[in-house]
Amino acid sequence: MSAWTPVLTVISNRFNIHLHPPTIVFLYLSTRHYVLSSTYPYFTLLGQSLGSLILAYDAFSLLIPDVFIDTMGYAFTLAFSKFVFPHVPTAAYVHYPTISTDMLGSLNAEAGEGKGLNAGAGRGLKGSVKRRYWHLFAWLYSRVGRDVDVVMTNSSWTQGHIQSLWGPQRTKKKSSPVEVVFPPVAVEELQGEIELSEASEKKREKVLLCIAQFRPEKNHSILLRAFARMRRSAPESLQSAKLVLIGSVRDSDDATRVYDLRLLAHELKIKEHVEFITDASWPYILECLRTSWVGINGMWNEHFGIGVVEYQAAGLISVVNDSGGPKMDIVIDCDGKGPTGFHASTEEEYAARFAEALSMSPEDTLAMRKRARISAGRFTESEFAKRWVGQMGKLIGLAAGAGVGRKIQ
């Protein structure tokens, strides 16, 4: 058994992704601590980006690539690869820009509730320094993206920000356009496993389900406060509703965050109606998707929202943040036939949308579930594979044209 078999087992159990071990090669990098945010209490964005150069050097010392693809968001490594290996084609699959125009805008003093962790942080002397630092970093970030041969993003929202930051430099060099490649989601499996009919409606419970890592930006607190607000004004028919929060815990910081959220639920007097599930297996998540009523998301500017697509494929009514990928790509009207869910930004809006999603007539509820499931068909694994292979074809073509590698088949 390979030393990496436990890693593949975790991937299979948690994400339902099955990989063939003989086709996977892991190269251990000993310099990962240089890209951890905890290593840089100050100037974190710059520190991690410069640290990624050390990580890239570590990787290149182990293997000289025929092509170099970054899917982690370490854009500086792409420029480093071009510097060290000028003829090696590079590609970026950007999930979330390291910095964005929305992040810069959130520093404004008037930035309101739910505008990210740095909302309103641009005030005063400290805020002025932060603003200048972020603008300088945005300039550096735009420079490192100009020479990437193939650029893909996971959503229209990410595409827009990458085009605004990298686009001007790439246009000067006549680089290829930035393409959207939606991430693969287990849509077909969910549709096969979860029935959607009048009969299946009887098996669902008035549960608000949130599937998201317990990280600060996921904004679980607004969901708890909104749920408490809904309960205070909800009719008797909704008093039995529950909130279930499922997410992974990466480290002690995440564990502390879950503890703090439990305390908040206690303070809001809703602890008897809230359930926290950490590191759930895929079969357990599947059962929750089968029996819950509403799927919710609290993050501002979620880059895509795989969990939201899973809600739709499972037939849940989605209540998501009015921003980012969930707003622009996922919870949208279904071919002009009607909405596939609800959007909200503030605690008050979330509370109102929760109540509305739980109170629709049976006919309207089932109709919205079916529209959501149809809409989710845009994010299948087969659709991802088709788009990904197309982009990789461009990259391999560049490698073959440059004579990189011994033989490219």
Side-chain angles (χ1 to χ4, degrees):
M1 184 179 72
S2 167
W4 296 102
T5 299
V7 176
L8 300 179
T9 300
V10 170
I11 292 171
S12 175
N13 292 339
R14 188 168 299 173
F15 302 109
N16 200 40
I17 297 173
H18 307 286
L19 301 173
H20 186 48
T23 65
I24 306 297
V25 177
F26 288 97
L27 296 178
Y28 184 78
L29 302 179
S30 61
T31 53
R32 180 175 175 270
H33 60 281
Y34 285 108
V35 296
L36 297 178
S37 59
S38 57
T39 305
Y40 310 99
Y42 303 102
F43 300 102
T44 307
L45 293 178
L46 183 61
Q48 287 182 286
S49 295
L50 295 178
S52 71
L53 300 180
I54 300 174
L55 189 70
Y57 182 81
D58 188 8
F60 294 150
S61 298
L62 296 173
L63 178 70
I64 296 176
D66 292 328
V67 297
F68 181 65
I69 307 170
D70 168 51
T71 66
M72 292 292 292
Y74 300 138
F76 281 51
T77 65
L78 294 160
F80 183 51
S81 178
K82 276 294 182 186
F83 176 76
V84 179
F85 311 114
H87 301 297
V88 171
T90 56
Y93 186 35
V94 185
H95 296 269
Y96 199 90
T98 307
I99 195 163
S100 68
T101 52
D102 282 353
M103 285 175 63
L104 296 172
S106 73
L107 294 175
N108 296 333
E110 63 269 23
E113 179 185 3
K115 298 297 183 182
L117 301 178
N118 290 281
R123 290 169 287 185
L125 177 61
K126 182 178 179 181
S128 178
V129 172
K130 189 180 189 76
R131 188 187 303 277
R132 290 177 181 273
Y133 158 55
W134 274 17
H135 277 278
L136 173 61
F137 183 82
W139 179 81
L140 289 172
Y141 186 66
S142 68
R143 300 285 292 183
V144 300
R146 66 179 179 174
D147 293 323
V148 184
D149 295 300
V150 174
V151 179
M152 301 164 282
T153 66
N154 65 341
S155 70
S156 300
W157 180 88
T158 307
Q159 180 193 46
H161 284 284
I162 287 297
Q163 285 176 333
S164 68
L165 290 163
W166 291 3
Q169 295 288 339
R170 293 178 62 78
T171 299
K172 292 178 183 178
K173 295 182 69 65
K174 298 182 180 179
S175 303
S176 62
V178 178
E179 301 284 352
V180 176
V181 178
F182 292 127
V185 186
V187 172
E188 291 109 333
E189 179 181 356
L190 287 167
Q191 291 176 342
E193 291 281 350
I194 299 176
E195 181 186 357
L196 204 56
S197 65
E198 292 182 5
S200 66
E201 287 296 282
K202 298 175 182 179
K203 301 175 184 177
R204 292 191 182 270
E205 302 173 354
K206 298 285 184 171
V207 171
L208 301 168
L209 176 66
C210 174
I211 302 175
Q213 291 179 320
F214 287 107
R215 305 202 315 255
E217 62 270 24
K218 295 300 182 179
N219 206 8
H220 289 88
S221 60
I222 195 174
L223 303 178
L224 287 167
R225 296 182 187 281
F227 180 65
R229 178 182 288 270
M230 184 203 75
R231 284 186 53 80
R232 288 196 295 269
S233 59
E236 184 63 30
S237 59
L238 298 185
Q239 289 302 314
S240 62
K242 288 180 58 179
L243 173 61
V244 176
L245 305 175
I246 298 178
S248 60
V249 173
R250 302 165 298 173
D251 49 34
S252 59
D253 288 341
D254 285 357
T256 300
R257 196 165 295 115
V258 174
Y259 177 75
D260 291 339
L261 290 170
R262 290 181 185 275
L263 289 179
L264 178 59
H266 178 75
E267 293 170 5
L268 294 170
K269 298 180 172 56
I270 56 173
K271 68 172 185 176
E272 302 299 329
H273 304 277
V274 178
E275 188 174 359
F276 293 85
I277 308 295
T278 59
D279 299 323
S281 66
W282 174 251
Y284 184 87
I285 292 174
L286 190 63
E287 184 60 25
C288 288
L289 289 168
R290 182 181 291 113
T291 57
S292 296
W293 201 273
V294 178
I296 61 177
N297 151 283
M299 181 177 172
W300 175 67
N301 275 346
E302 177 97 61
H303 43 94
F304 177 64
I306 286 179
V308 178
V309 176
E310 290 174 344
Y311 297 158
Q312 291 193 326
L316 273 66
I317 305 297
S318 298
V319 178
V320 301
N321 196 272
D322 192 25
S323 65
K327 175 186 180 179
M328 296 178 65
D329 292 321
I330 305 175
V331 184
I332 59 176
D333 275 14
C334 180
D335 298 327
K337 297 179 181 178
T340 55
F342 301 94
H343 304 123
S345 297
T346 65
E347 177 186 317
E348 293 79 9
E349 290 175 354
Y350 270 105
R353 299 294 87 77
F354 289 169
E356 187 174 356
L358 292 168
S359 303
M360 292 192 300
S361 69
E363 296 77 17
D364 289 344
T365 297
L366 185 57
M368 183 175 286
R369 295 195 199 282
K370 289 181 177 179
R371 289 195 298 269
R373 173 166 282 189
I374 292 171
S375 181
R378 297 171 292 133
F379 309 112
T380 61
E381 294 174 351
S382 58
E383 184 63 27
F384 166 80
K386 180 174 69 176
R387 294 185 179 224
W388 179 266
V389 169
Q391 295 302 308
M392 290 302 100
K394 296 180 184 178
L395 199 65
I396 298 302
L398 290 170
V404 175
R406 293 183 298 274
K407 185 177 180 182
I408 296 177
Q409 295 181 332

